[in-house]
Amino acid sequence: MTKEDSASAAAALDPLEVVMRYHQETKHHFSRSARSLGYMDWANQPDPFRRYEGSPLIRLPVLGPDDAPFSPFYDDMYRPGAIASVPVTIRALSRFLEFSLAISAWKQAGEVRWALRANPSSGNLHPTEGYLLIGKVPGLSPAPGLYHYTAMKHALELRAEVPAESFDSLLQGFPPNAFFVGFTSVNWRETWKYGERAFRYCQHDVGHAIGSARIAAQTLGWRTLLLDGLADDTLAALLGADRPEDFEGAEREHPDCLAVVWPADQEAGRFTGKTISLPLFLSTDAVRDSARRIWHGKANRLSRDDPVKWQILDQVEAASWKSSTEQRLVELNQGGSSAKTLANPSTDVPGIYPGQPRAGQVIRQRRSALAFDGKTSISVGTFFTMLARVMPRVDREPCQRPMPWDVLPWEPAIHLVLFVHRVNGIAPGLYMLVRDPAKVDSLRRATHRQFAWTLPPGCPENLSLFLLEEGDARQLATQVSCGQEIAGDSAFSLGMIAEFEPSLRRYGPWFYRRLFWETGVIGQVLYLEAEASGVRATGIGCFFDDPVHQVLGFNDATFQSLYHFTTGGPVEDPRLTTLPPYGLDH
């Protein structure tokens, strides 16, 4: 059966049923794993770097840590108004892409060398591709265009020339100097290794990319909002993913999402004293007019052989395709944007943040830990701070929530079950962080009756953290995470629990992907929090789904675990050499 036949067959079924069946059939169990090839076809491993051959290539300046635009201090990213906006220039775009999608280092063992990136990826396979749809920028182009970011070269490839009047129409309703960043997925890059579970991992990675882009924008004083009202057909047309002639003989890309990015201080220039409403969609006429483009380049082939076909993957792609457009507005602010303060207050006010790392340093050094020492502990204050950073403040409008939760325009639907091992100041055991306090009762009713649901000592009032059961959870955490010792040797590990079936019924089966995106943003925040705290973290995609649910007492699809994560003291491998991301021959 061809991919088109599978998609047609899926269309004849209830899309919600298809998505629910996919999720159920791709669970890992103690007795069997989700279906995959069962071996590593190394000769057919996909190239992690997409290129569009024949596209004009514009290299971005490789900036050093002490080059402008300067990186703010890490904690300043979470202080409203602490970072002044920088203009949208080619240097600023270089920094934005460096902190979101670029190569952060090369690792080498013997003759084998591989790249690490600012945005983490399942298995370091990197299915996510990034695009900019942007107006004229000196040094980049004298006219608007659609660009593909190639991390290997730290460069932008011109995919399409966009008429200026068409781009201006797309920007209607947005602050001045706004531009768009889009993401697609080459699903085969994950399917090659993980088989049927790969669609989940691709969506995790989209979430990490959204989080990394939002955080990168914050370092420049820019804001970001996901345009979640767009239909996937519109997104595919905007990013060129619907052009078969450009992917002839090459692996296709699945359209994921589009976000608008703008300098925060531009809000005041246009909207001071007003209630600002931003659209989560683009004008239909503007999208139609923007289709009149001059296209460049053909996608490179990534694997030697054709991708292996998995019928269930074709079906879930079709079933989770977003066909609707919602003309929804979100309120950005009232009475104008927050007043700017100092660009780098810690340098202008001596001693205010002694010893605090720069955001750029934390982003560049982020790594996925391969092993933990089973000894390192963290303080309860550090633990509470990490958890506070993933709280979205649901009492506020989406765009008025703390960074990076202002990028996601839906109500949060992910909560954390924590296996606490080594946090000085609270007892080891099983905990629950409820990211929406209104959901405490529903989670409590769904879990085991014997759970305590008590507040740990010293817990901040705005942190809905509850002790469920005290005790040594190290072996349990390891067992449910596919026996991986990183889950038990850490300071703490966790599972991300989704409001699953209720969310799919409320929004539609396309929201399945958004649930994973939200977990990816949580993971990105925790990665950087770990680095800033002197420890390290890693995502865990392999876990035994239903055994996790049994530990908690879940007996239906109301809540489901989608992603696991762990944080602790890393064990470094002395055999590995670290090399800089870009050399002088860049």
Side-chain angles (χ1 to χ4, degrees), residues 78 223 384-416 433-439 462-465 497 499 518-519 521-522 525:
Y78 292 95
R223 298 196 62 184
F384 287 156
T385 298
M386 288 181 174
L387 298 186
R389 294 272 161 85
V390 303
M391 293 295 287
R393 291 296 302 272
V394 296
D395 56 324
R396 303 179 183 178
E397 291 296 314
C399 283
Q400 298 172 20
R401 291 172 184 161
M403 194 286 302
W405 306 111
D406 53 354
V407 73
L408 301 181
W410 59 79
E411 296 303 309
I414 305 295
H415 312 283
L416 308 184
L433 179 71
V434 185
R435 294 178 65 244
D436 180 352
K439 306 298 172 56
N462 61 352
L463 203 59
S464 301
L465 178 67
I497 307 299
E499 300 169 23
E518 189 174 334
T519 68
V521 178
I522 292 171
V525 170

Side-chain angles (χ1 to χ4, degrees), residues 100-101 119-120 128 183 204-214 520 524:
S100 56
L101 300 174
N119 57 314
T128 310
F183 297 118
H204 286 153
D205 283 8
V206 173
H208 277 291
I210 294 169
S212 65
R214 176 63 190 98
Q524 191 65 16

Side-chain angles (χ1 to χ4, degrees), residues 482-494:
C482 295
Q484 298 177 83
E485 293 180 349
I486 52 174
D489 286 343
S490 57
F492 70 93
S493 64
L494 59 90

Side-chain angles (χ1 to χ4, degrees), residues 77-218:
M77 295 196 301
Y78 292 95
R79 304 179 196 275
I83 302 172
S85 300
V86 304
V88 179
T89 64
I90 193 168
R91 291 178 67 88
L93 290 173
S94 176
R95 192 69 90 190
F96 171 69
L97 292 165
E98 175 196 355
F99 288 171
S100 56
L101 300 174
I103 295 172
S104 56
W106 287 88
K107 289 288 186 179
Q108 185 164 336
E111 299 299 318
V112 180
R113 192 175 72 146
W114 62 95
L116 306 178
R117 302 198 202 180
N119 57 314
S121 171
S122 308
N124 201 34
L125 297 174
H126 290 285
T128 310
E129 294 294 331
Y131 293 83
L132 294 185
L133 180 56
I134 193 168
K136 62 179 181 180
V137 176
L140 179 63
S141 174
L146 172 70
Y147 298 86
H148 169 253
Y149 177 65
T150 171
M152 172 63 87
K153 299 291 185 180
H154 191 50
L156 290 168
E157 298 175 304
L158 178 62
R159 283 284 286 129
E161 302 170 41
V162 181
E165 61 276 11
S166 297
F167 184 75
D168 290 341
S169 296
L170 288 174
L171 283 181
Q172 288 182 2
F174 298 106
N177 299 312
F179 63 94
F180 303 100
V181 57
F183 297 118
T184 66
S185 293
V186 183
N187 289 337
W188 168 239
R189 285 199 181 118
E190 294 288 332
T191 310
W192 165 80
K193 181 176 181 180
Y194 295 114
E196 291 184 349
R197 204 169 165 97
F199 187 73
R200 297 178 176 217
Y201 299 159
C202 288
Q203 304 311 310
H204 286 153
D205 283 8
V206 173
H208 277 291
I210 294 169
S212 65
R214 176 63 190 98
I215 292 167
Q218 185 73 357

